[in-house]
Amino acid sequence: MGKTMEIKPLVIKDLVAKIPVMQGGMGVGVSLSGLAGTVAAQGGIGILSTAQIGYREADFDNNPIGANLRAIKTEVEKARKLANGGIIGVNIMVATKRYEEYVEAAVAAGVDLIVSGAGLPMNLPQLVENAKTKLVPIVSSVKSVQVIIKYWLKKYCRLPDAIVIEGPLAGGHLGFSKEQLDNIEEMHYDEEVKNIIQKVNDVETKHQVKIPVIMAGGIYTRQDMEHYMGMGASGVQMATRFVTTYECDADEAYKQSYINANKDDIVIVQSPVGMPGRAILNHFMRKAKAGKIPHGKCHACISTCNPQETPYCITDALVNAVTGNVDNALLFCGANAYRATKLEHVKDIMEEFAP
C-alpha cells in the first residue's frame, strides 16, 4: 500500500520518536526488554509492562513485589542497551498493588516515560516529583480526560505530557462495560475520540503547551494509523501487531496462538480482577467458565482481586501464556489478533509506519 499521508515524528516535550508509534505495554512478560528495546532502536517508543515483570526471578513466588521492583531496574537496563539511544518507557497499571513503589522504581531506573491506565493515575505527578520522566495517562472517555487534567492542574500545577486514548478494540483489560463491548459499532467511538482530541486542543491553546494524543486499540496497519492521524492524533499505540514478531519476549507457542486464531475465537471475558477483557477462547477459558480453577498463594498483583473468591489466579494464567503453556493460559489479545498470519521482524513493521 502506498504511503499517502505526510507522517510527522511524535514529539513529547524533549522526546522525539521519528516514527510515531508507541508499542503498547503487555504483561505478564510479553513486552520486556527484547521487544521494547528493539522498537525503540527502530525509531518508535518501546514500553515494558511492569505487571509481574519479575516472574522469572528465583524468589518470585515468595516475594513477588521485591522480585518485580528488582526486575524493573534490570529489564530497563537491558532495554536501554538494545535501544541505541531510543525512547524507553514503562506501563504501570493504577490497579497494581503498591503502585507507588513501582512508579518510584521506574523513575529510579531512569525511564523516559510512564504510561498509566487501568484506573485514573490521579497521584502520579506527586510520585515522580521533579524527575524528567514524562507522564502519559490512558483514558477512554472525555470525562476521564477532564477529571485528570482538572485534578493535576489544581493539585500539582501540572498537565499530562501526552495522552493515550484506548478504544474498545484493545487487548487485555478494557475500560468499558460488557454491554458496550457487545455493541461496539453502536458506541460510535470515533466521535468520542474527536471529542477527546478537541478537549485536549482546548487545553493546549489555553495553557500554550503541546499535549500529543496517541490512539490505541485496534491499530494494526498504516491505514489504521492514518485514519486517526486524520482526526488529529499525533501517534498510535500498537500492541497486538508486535506479539507476532521474532523480537517479542513471549514464548513461540503464545505467538502461534495468535497466528492460529480465527476472528470468532476472539472473545470478551470477565477477568478475575473484575474488569472485562479481550482474549482468545481456548481450553482454559472454557474450563474457567465451567467453574473455579484451584490456585496457589497470592502473587499480590491487582488490588481489586480477592484471592479467596477469584475463579482462577490471573498471574498463574498469564505466566502460563508467556511461557508457552497455552492450554492452561489466559491469552489476552486485541480485536485484530486473527489478522496475524506469520512471524515478522519489528524492523519491517516500523518501516510500514515510517514517514
Side-chain angles (χ1 to χ4, degrees), residues 73-112:
K73 185 175 188 292
T74 53
E75 283 295 319
V76 167
E77 281 170 7
K78 279 158 68 179
R80 280 266 179 243
K81 287 196 179 89
L82 284 172
N84 202 13
I87 304 167
I88 293 291
V90 293
N91 180 302
I92 311 176
M93 294 189 292
V94 177
T96 305
K97 275 189 182 165
R98 304 202 359 216
Y99 173 73
E100 295 76 12
E101 290 172 57
Y102 285 78
V103 171
E104 283 155 15
V107 171
V111 298
D112 297 312

Side-chain angles (χ1 to χ4, degrees), residues 29-308:
V30 177
S31 66
L32 296 179
S33 53
L35 180 57
T38 309
V39 171
Q42 292 297 331
I45 298 178
I47 303 286
L48 301 102
S49 166
T50 64
Q52 306 298 46
I53 189 170
Y55 78 95
R56 294 178 294 199
E57 299 284 306
D59 60 346
F60 176 69
D61 280 342
N62 299 318
N63 177 24
I65 288 172
N68 288 336
L69 297 177
R70 201 180 319 122
I72 287 172
K73 185 175 188 292
T74 53
E75 283 295 319
V76 167
E77 281 170 7
K78 279 158 68 179
R80 280 266 179 243
K81 287 196 179 89
L82 284 172
N84 202 13
I87 304 167
I88 293 291
V90 293
N91 180 302
I92 311 176
M93 294 189 292
V94 177
T96 305
K97 275 189 182 165
R98 304 202 359 216
Y99 173 73
E100 295 76 12
E101 290 172 57
Y102 285 78
V103 171
E104 283 155 15
V107 171
V111 298
D112 297 312
L113 69 164
I114 292 174
V115 181
S116 200
L120 296 183
M122 303 305 272
N123 64 339
L124 188 54
Q126 181 186 332
L127 301 172
V128 300
E129 291 180 333
N130 301 321
K132 286 202 342 237
T133 318
K134 310 296 180 285
L135 305 184
V136 185
I138 299 176
V139 301
S140 295
S141 67
V142 173
K143 190 178 169 209
S144 48
V145 81
Q146 283 173 322
V147 167
I148 288 173
I149 285 173
K150 192 176 170 191
Y151 188 83
W152 282 19
L153 269 175
K154 187 178 169 194
K155 190 103 193 262
Y156 309 112
C157 293
R158 176 150 190 180
L159 286 162
D161 298 304
I163 282 170
V164 171
I165 304 175
E166 192 172 87
L169 300 177
H173 291 123
L174 302 165
F176 301 91
S177 69
K178 174 117 173 48
E179 293 68 46
Q180 287 175 310
L181 295 166
D182 286 339
N183 300 287
I184 288 172
E185 285 75 28
E186 289 167 30
M187 287 172 69
H188 302 293
Y189 195 69
D190 274 7
E191 290 307 309
E192 192 74 12
V193 173
K194 285 177 193 161
N195 293 337
I196 294 171
I197 291 172
Q198 185 56 57
K199 174 73 196 162
V200 174
N201 289 348
D202 293 346
V203 172
E204 286 180 318
T205 306
K206 186 178 173 186
H207 296 277
Q208 295 297 291
V209 290
K210 275 273 171 238
I211 307 173
V213 174
I214 299 160
M215 184 63 202
I219 316 286
Y220 202 80
T221 61
R222 184 187 177 93
Q223 205 176 350
D224 299 330
M225 172 176 78
E226 291 187 355
H227 170 74
Y228 288 110
M229 287 187 137
M231 286 164 56
S234 299
V236 291
Q237 176 180 285
M238 286 197 307
T240 293
R241 178 78 188 266
F242 286 116
V243 169
T244 49
T245 58
Y246 293 100
E247 295 86 359
C248 173
D249 297 275
D251 186 88
E252 292 306 305
Y254 180 70
K255 301 174 188 183
Q256 203 56 47
S257 64
Y258 277 43
I259 292 168
N260 296 341
N262 297 316
K263 195 172 185 176
D264 299 345
D265 298 328
I266 297 169
V267 295
I268 300 298
V269 300
Q270 187 60 30
S271 155
V273 302
M275 297 178 237
R278 181 173 278 108
I280 295 172
L281 185 61
N282 63 348
H283 169 70
F284 177 81
M285 286 321 304
R286 291 189 182 94
K287 211 163 94 176
K289 269 185 178 166
K292 270 188 165 187
I293 296 171
H295 56 87
K297 64 197 295 190
C298 175
H299 292 93
C301 64
I302 301 288
S303 50
T304 52
C305 179
N306 179 344
Q308 276 70 51

